[in-house]
Amino acid sequence: QLLLVESGGGSVQAGESLRLSCKAPRTITSVFNSYAFAWYRQAPGKQRDLVASITRDRSTNYIDSVKDRFYIDADSTRKTVYLLMTSLKSEDEGVYYCNTYPPQPNWGQGTQVTVSS
């Protein structure tokens, strides 16, 4: 299984931005490039859901509620997947997880995003 480590969460005011990072520290570039990735979110009391994905050819997809506000990107040089979140809203709160797409069985710790209105 590919090891992925999330970081970058925090507490922000509504309307502000955050960039999450997901690093694959123990892989080589060719392996990293062979995967599709996604960011998932688990809001309090809810199941974990897909937020954004990036395919092996690096095309992107988003759920409707984050389109034109969130942007996913994969940097093969750094072996890192990013999620830039702009114009954050309270409903964006949750623990954000990075995983492959479709997801591997084991999940990382995630990173908490808190948005205050």
Side-chain angles (χ1 to χ4, degrees), residues 11-106:
S11 296
V12 297
Q13 296 289 319
E16 293 184 339
S17 299
L18 275 175
R19 190 179 74 163
L20 307 183
S21 298
C22 168
K23 188 168 179 61
R26 298 178 187 170
T27 187
I28 58 176
T29 300
S30 60
V31 172
F32 179 85
N33 289 340
S34 71
Y35 281 93
F37 296 97
W39 284 94
Y40 305 80
R41 175 175 68 205
Q42 187 164 23
K46 296 188 177 181
Q47 67 180 20
R48 184 162 43 209
D49 290 325
L50 177 69
V51 173
S53 62
I54 184 164
T55 65
R56 289 172 58 181
D57 66 2
R58 300 314 183 217
S59 60
T60 58
N61 291 282
Y62 304 91
I63 59 172
D64 286 345
S65 63
V66 307
K67 280 180 181 176
D68 300 321
R69 296 191 300 119
F70 288 17
Y71 304 94
I72 187 171
D73 187 28
D75 184 334
S76 59
T77 301
R78 292 179 171 81
K79 291 169 283 182
T80 300
V81 182
Y82 299 101
L83 184 68
L84 175 62
M85 305 183 295
T86 68
S87 301
L88 279 161
K89 304 176 181 180
S90 57
E91 53 260 45
D92 296 322
E93 274 198 354
V95 179
Y96 283 72
Y97 299 86
C98 172
N99 206 329
T100 56
Y101 183 69
Q104 304 171 119
N106 295 323

